[in-house]
Amino acid sequence: MKKRFIILDGSSLLYRAFYALPLLEAASGEFTNAIYGFSNMLVKLITEWKPDTLVIAFDKGKKTFRNDLYNEYKGTRKPTPPELLSQIPILHEMAEAWGISLIEMAGYEADDIIGTLANKAVDNGFEAFVVTGDRDALQLVRDDLKVLYTKKGISELTVYDVDTFRQEYGLDPIQLIDMKGLMGDTSDNIPGVPGVGPKTAAKLLAAYGTVEEVLLHIEEISGKKLQENIRENQQLAVLSKKLATICTDVPVEFDGDKFRINVDGNRLTRFYTRYNIKSMLRAIQPFISGKNSTQQSDEMNIPECVVVSSLDKAREVAEECAKAGELCAVACFSGKVPHVRLKGIGLRVSGKRYYIEVGIDNESDIGSLFSDSNADAGAMLDIIRAVLANPKTVKYIHGAKNYYHGDLELSGDIYDMELIGYLLNPVSSKYDVAELAGVYDVPVTPLDKGAPDSEQYSWQAYVLGSVCTEMLDRAREKNLLKLYGELELPLVEVLASMERNGIFVNRKNLQEQAVKVGGIIAKLEADIYEGAGGKFNINSPKQLGEILFEKLGLPVIKKTKTGYSTNAEVLEQLKDEHPMVGLVLQYRLWTKLKSTYLDGINQLIDGETGRVHTTFNQTVTATGRLSSSDPNLQNIPVRTEEGKKIRQLFEPGEGYDYILSADYSQIELRVLANMSEDSNFIRAFNNDEDIHARTAAEVFGISIEDVTPQLRRSAKAVNFGIVYGISDYGLSQDLKISRKEAAGYIESYFEKCRGVKSFIDRTVENAHSQGFVQTAFGRRRDLPAINSSNYVQRMLAERMAMNTPIQGTAADIIKLAMIRAYNMLKKSGMKSRILVQVHDELVLEVTSDELDKVKALLKDTMENVVSLKVPLSIDINLGKNWAEAK
């Protein structure tokens, strides 16, 4: 049985895959849909066809020898979409990881490489298969050389041999070039003979065989017009045939050994991990473990982990850290805030791997880690503290906040690679060590899930040491280290303190509210059932849709694949159509509040502190804003009665008298004024005017005294809309006006606020040229879709370009204010402390005797933390609970 050689038309297949699948993005923002489709096809091909050798051929550049023959060759093709163009280098990476040769050659097309190598393979005794989505390759078909044509997308293949071709075309495969010579090819802009189509070309070739023979028998051809066309375009026919002919003598050699698939298991795993193509991680397992794999479990030559459980050995490692001057550490903690304890710490020092164990007192869930001969846990902890507190040692760590929770001091140069990973790529979903390794192409062999702590954490520390240099270099190139050192790293201590502080919850009131809200929900249910004429599942969109749109006959706003849409936007539009719609909206709000806060918070109250200790997430949002979880204290409705009932539950704890709220006034609009230098905005803020009334006066051409509440509301919607990338559709929905009227508002707004318009245009223009935007403090957001040929993707990226500098700069200012306020409170020795941050608001618990000092301190730090062209202003309120303070 002959060996099989398969050659892939990489250019054609990548193109097919791109258009067969919706756009997909890696965490880094790079597009990957074509790579995903190509990978699936490759796995299917190798699995089903079992090639002995395989090559990918690819076009290199646009100009080939055919352009020298005919300058307009392929001249009508549209430019390659940037989303596809950006995936070509990734295909090269993929081929290397698979151990597959990818061949391209200047001056030739992929077809020419394919034709040359396929013929040479046959001459060397192989059976050759060409995989392509381009019918031009069918001219190559001969004995032992078949074409696998991707008929639909990239999943279905039609096998063309000589007989198959003859049955479909009524010609021999080689005659395809003569056919193209006569009829041309619009996709490649091959001219052919005017007036000659596929049927006429096939008829002429059936009679005369080749273009040349057709030209010799022009006088015999029936049809005066056809004769005339061929006679006048003889040279064009010959040229077209040359353009359509695949060159089979490209200077490239067939090498059976070199063209074997040589899978690099580690590299392949890293590749699909880096680009977040998770389904392929499962699909490649047979190839990684198979005979073609060259995976080496010790590719990084990771040394054995030395487990340190004695004081003497721990001191020895500490001395080694001090002597080396740097270390990489990943610590293992147990327990939840505020009861976090250090179990042990993985270290990479001088190319060695250690794990220092720490005994844990009063942690029955973990169990004893030591025998009687092991060192005292307290003394071991002191050694680790000394290592981390050594100011002369550079430390590369991961997850600095837990170090503070574990009562560990960090001194000297500290590089939290989790935070740096976030600054480098703020749109990623996670920044754990394995993810960073994948992104930065560091070879790793993932550990078994059941590996002991010593192996897991020392392994992570070792891998961290392999990515930190490249990550810091990239952060330095993008000027992110100043932002890291002056803002993100100092903020860690502040957030850790806030999480440990927690916020007191009145459990008695919580339980009473849960009962009351349960009654409200039950009443709403009954009213909804009465309006519907019977019981149904209110939480089922399908059943609710049937009630609203079929039984009650409400107008259908939007449909989904499964039926009627009943999302919040739809129900808001229908609210005035029937009383039941408002009841459903109320029902949804109360059930969400009850499950999230009343029931959810009850389970999160710490038994010892009586407080909930939310987690503040520093690496979640792309704009730099903080978020919170377990519970999410930033998502409680602010101005509704329902939200107030939830906020009433949060009170000052024992020893404190008030909850105090310090809230920036219109900070994003002040940032917009500063960055745009718009004269109307700057004048309004410097004169302490109502910014929305001032905007309304300018836009509608009236005095500020004549601005009505409705006009102010319209101006306010546009002002805040600008911050979030307004569209006429979005504004029309907010103001319940026509899209045309909304567009008129925006146009008038930009006419009067020329500074804002100029700033937005300049920002978007820079984003198009640079591919990213920045805040005033250097926080960066890459926008890979900013030059997309896809209108929706491009517009979304442009909106991000508009709002990220404003929102991100505001977020940075608030973070700086938090750091400053925290340090001032700490320095002054005051008992009052920060508990929560909600976007523009800081929430503190304070004592009566410190109240005036805290107010003055917050006003000074928050309003003067940065110098803008307009003043920053805060509103301070206080009460016996959070609702009163708001």
Side-chain angles (χ1 to χ4, degrees), residues 1-4 52 122 125-127 144:
M1 186 176 178
K2 291 185 177 182
K3 292 182 178 179
R4 283 186 170 178
D52 297 284
V122 173
F126 281 74
E127 185 180 17
D144 288 334

Side-chain angles (χ1 to χ4, degrees), residues 41 71 135 142 163 180 196 198 232 237 265 283 298 326 475 642 687 690 694 708 725 749-750 868:
M41 181 217 62
N71 191 49
R135 285 183 174 269
R142 65 182 176 104
D163 290 337
K180 291 285 183 77
V196 175
E232 291 179 358
D298 61 345
E326 66 174 21
E642 297 88 350
N687 293 336
D690 181 331
R694 168 53 61 192
T708 65
Y749 179 94
F750 282 140
L868 305 180

Side-chain angles (χ1 to χ4, degrees), residues 425-442:
N425 181 22
V427 298
S428 180
S429 58
K430 61 180 183 177
Y431 304 92
D432 58 36
V433 174
E435 185 77 12
L436 294 176
V439 169
Y440 291 93
D441 203 27
V442 169

